Amino acid sequence: MKQLILCVFLCAATTLSAQNNKQIQEAMATYDYETALALIEKEPSTPSLLLQKGKAQKALSMNAQALATFRQLIAEEPQHALAHTEAAECCKALAKYKEALDYYQQALDLNPSNKYVRLQYISLLCNQGKFEEALGETTIMAETDSSAVVLHLQAQSLEGLNMALPAVGCYHVIQDKYPDDYLAAAKLGSLYCAGGDYEYAIEATEIYRRIDSTNIVVNRQNAVAYCLAKDYSTAIDRYKYLVSQGDNSILTYYYMGICYYASERYYDAYDMLSIAHEQQPDDPNLLYYLGRACAKTSWKQEGVEYLQLAIELTQPSDSTMARLYTGLTDCCRLAGKHREQIDAIKEHYKYEPTKHRLIYDMATVYAYQLNDKKNTERCLELFLKTQPKESTNKAPETNESGEVELNQTNYYNAARKWLDDLQKARKKEEFFKDGVVQSN
């Protein structure tokens, strides 16, 4: 009797568990991940349920919790390739890129033929700037797989290594094999424009436009190529189409404005460049063309203001230049290039003309690094001439401990004593050299 009762109980439990598993699968299939998680919590932990739990957590953007779940699964089943892949995806979402690469590599070690994992691995290598590794992976993969996605990753790796010509060749292969791949046409247009080969850029983008003339990305590159090739009429037509399709990007309005300006349609140029200026008010090149367009229309005063602003934005501030020369001075000092150190201090002084201590600094370099007594004296004399009259007779300032504070007054006092000692030493040398004391 007891055995019968136990059998009935086990059968009922098994039936209930089967029902729960079915409900879990249905919840996962209908993207009802919260219900799936609630049902999973009621079941004893198994590798299968851990995988489902991690997937549900990841789908709800609970990436940290999902990663913990997949790590638990990996600890229980180290050979579970899918768990390593899912862990890599979670790490990538959490910006743990090194860990993501490690998990992808482990997944590939377990299943080398998994194309998805290898593509994700290569893509992450590219995103992390590991282009040499990515190129090696894509080169091997391309031997047996010439799909567009593999060729794109190979081209991206070549671009990252500044190998523009091989990248162009790769994109041409894609365009030849997969003529409906708009991204290859756009990349060719971009690379050719960057290299100044505008006719080739036009040709590559026009090949695609014969298949689909509506693609926004390709039309942008096509329009830029016509603009840079100075075919402004065609470029304007392309930009008009882009605007009609809702393209409100700053570059569209910027280049359209330049095309109008080059075509001497200054009011149209003003309209387009004004829209671009609203999006990017501090671009000197944009301000230049907008100002020039204003000068040739009814907004002449605005044109002056735009050009003045462009000049201000183009020229570094005095404080920025002073900071740069401070850094250069220190670098020259540490490198033992003391002539260059003097030059850097002189340039620094142009941007901070009230910082007279720089002249004193030049004197120390001439004295202790270059053993140039003549220029040391000259610098000290020049430095003393900058001393305000009211501070001439001030005693050195001290702090609460009675120690002398090295403020500007102290440097003037030190310079006066230093110069006096140098002049006395020089007179003494001249006396013994010539037998007479030379007058100043």
Side-chain angles (χ1 to χ4, degrees):
M1 185 67 179
K2 289 182 179 179
Q3 290 180 344
L4 180 60
I5 293 171
L6 180 60
C7 184
V8 171
F9 176 78
L10 290 174
C11 289
T14 301
T15 301
L16 182 61
S17 179
Q19 289 176 345
N20 280 347
N21 282 330
K22 183 179 180 182
Q23 290 176 338
I24 291 169
Q25 296 304 321
E26 289 177 351
M28 293 292 292
T30 57
Y31 312 108
D32 188 0
Y33 299 114
E34 290 180 342
T35 298
L37 288 173
L39 291 169
I40 289 170
E41 290 301 322
K42 296 177 181 179
E43 294 292 312
S45 178
T46 65
S48 177
L49 285 178
L50 280 175
L51 183 62
Q52 295 298 321
K53 179 181 178 180
K55 286 185 174 181
Q57 289 170 327
K58 190 177 77 165
L60 292 170
S61 297
M62 300 166 60
N63 293 300
Q65 296 91 326
L67 179 57
T69 300
F70 292 128
R71 281 175 172 167
Q72 181 184 345
L73 177 54
I74 291 169
E76 293 181 10
E77 292 194 4
Q79 302 303 307
H80 201 305
L82 184 54
H84 285 89
T85 302
E86 293 288 359
E89 303 281 294
C90 291
C91 286
K92 188 164 61 174
L94 293 166
K96 298 176 182 290
Y97 300 120
K98 184 179 184 302
E99 292 180 57
L101 288 171
D102 290 341
Y103 277 122
Y104 279 133
Q105 186 62 68
Q106 290 163 20
L108 287 171
D109 291 341
L110 294 168
N111 187 2
S113 62
N114 191 307
K115 180 176 178 178
Y116 171 81
V117 176
R118 193 167 296 279
L119 289 176
Q120 295 304 308
Y121 177 63
I122 296 171
S123 179
L124 187 54
L125 284 174
C126 287
N127 291 339
Q128 293 304 295
K130 298 178 182 293
F131 297 112
E132 287 188 12
E133 295 177 51
L135 182 59
E137 291 283 342
T138 55
T139 301
I140 294 171
M141 201 171 180
E143 291 176 358
T144 57
D145 186 343
S146 59
S147 60
V149 64
V150 173
L151 293 172
H152 270 293
L153 286 172
Q154 188 174 39
Q156 185 180 347
S157 303
L158 291 165
E159 282 190 82
L161 293 170
N162 295 318
M163 300 170 68
L165 285 178
V168 165
C170 203
Y171 286 123
H172 271 299
V173 171
I174 299 172
Q175 190 171 54
D176 291 340
K177 293 190 66 174
Y178 309 99
D180 60 345
D181 189 311
Y182 79 89
L183 188 57
K187 292 295 292 187
L188 283 170
S190 176
L191 287 170
Y192 277 131
C193 282
D197 298 317
Y198 309 128
E199 295 302 323
Y200 287 118
I202 291 170
E203 180 183 358
T205 50
E206 287 292 353
I207 288 174
Y208 181 83
R209 291 187 76 258
R210 287 195 286 270
I211 299 171
D212 178 9
S213 63
T214 66
N215 186 280
I216 297 295
V217 177
V218 175
N219 274 310
R220 283 176 180 169
Q221 292 300 326
N222 181 261
V224 169
Y226 276 114
C227 174
L228 296 176
K230 300 183 179 180
D231 185 347
Y232 301 117
S233 177
T234 305
I236 288 170
D237 288 340
R238 297 288 186 267
Y239 282 122
K240 282 182 176 179
Y241 173 78
L242 287 168
V243 171
S244 73
Q245 296 303 302
D247 182 2
N248 294 316
S249 66
I250 182 173
L251 289 178
T252 292
Y253 285 110
Y254 173 68
Y255 279 111
M256 192 174 183
I258 290 177
C259 290
Y260 277 131
Y261 181 86
S263 302
E264 299 183 359
R265 296 169 60 176
Y266 301 118
Y267 282 92
D268 290 326
Y270 172 82
D271 290 339
M272 296 301 103
L273 293 170
S274 294
I275 295 172
H277 178 249
E278 290 176 2
Q279 298 182 49
Q280 193 166 318
D282 296 330
D283 185 302
N285 289 324
L286 197 161
L287 288 166
Y288 169 80
Y289 283 107
L290 179 55
R292 294 296 301 273
C294 286
K296 296 178 183 294
T297 54
S298 303
W299 299 278
K300 292 178 172 52
Q301 180 56 40
E302 287 184 36
V304 173
E305 294 171 0
Y306 285 136
L307 266 297
Q308 288 175 335
L309 178 57
I311 292 170
E312 290 176 12
L313 292 170
T314 303
Q315 295 178 339
S317 66
D318 286 354
S319 60
T320 297
M321 295 302 297
R323 180 169 173 266
L324 290 172
Y325 277 112
T326 296
L328 179 59
T329 299
D330 196 46
C331 288
C332 291
R333 176 183 64 81
L334 294 171
K337 296 187 174 183
H338 302 298
R339 293 288 179 189
E340 290 86 346
Q341 183 182 353
I342 290 289
D343 293 339
I345 296 173
K346 288 178 180 178
E347 291 300 317
H348 183 173
Y349 193 44
K350 292 178 182 178
Y351 294 98
E352 285 192 291
T354 61
K355 193 172 183 178
H356 306 306
R357 159 73 192 282
L358 292 169
I359 306 174
Y360 185 90
D361 292 343
M362 283 193 287
T364 61
V365 177
Y366 276 125
Y368 300 116
Q369 305 300 334
L370 299 174
N371 196 27
D372 185 339
K373 296 178 182 179
K374 184 176 181 181
N375 276 316
T376 301
E377 282 192 41
R378 286 178 177 175
C379 285
L380 291 172
E381 288 172 349
L382 181 60
F383 177 62
L384 287 170
K385 288 179 181 179
T386 67
Q387 183 176 15
K389 292 182 180 180
E390 61 272 15
S391 65
T392 303
N393 298 317
K394 281 187 177 181
E397 298 178 13
T398 58
N399 58 25
E400 295 178 356
S401 302
E403 298 171 339
V404 175
E405 291 280 2
L406 292 178
N407 56 25
Q408 195 80 339
T409 301
N410 301 142
Y411 280 106
Y412 284 124
N413 291 336
R416 187 173 291 102
K417 184 178 184 309
W418 187 7
L419 179 61
D420 185 55
D421 291 342
L422 286 173
Q423 289 175 339
K424 288 179 180 178
R426 175 168 53 80
K427 289 179 180 179
K428 187 175 181 180
E429 289 176 4
E430 290 172 351
F431 174 80
F432 285 107
K433 179 180 179 181
D434 301 328
V436 294
V437 178
Q438 301 292 327
S439 59
N440 288 335

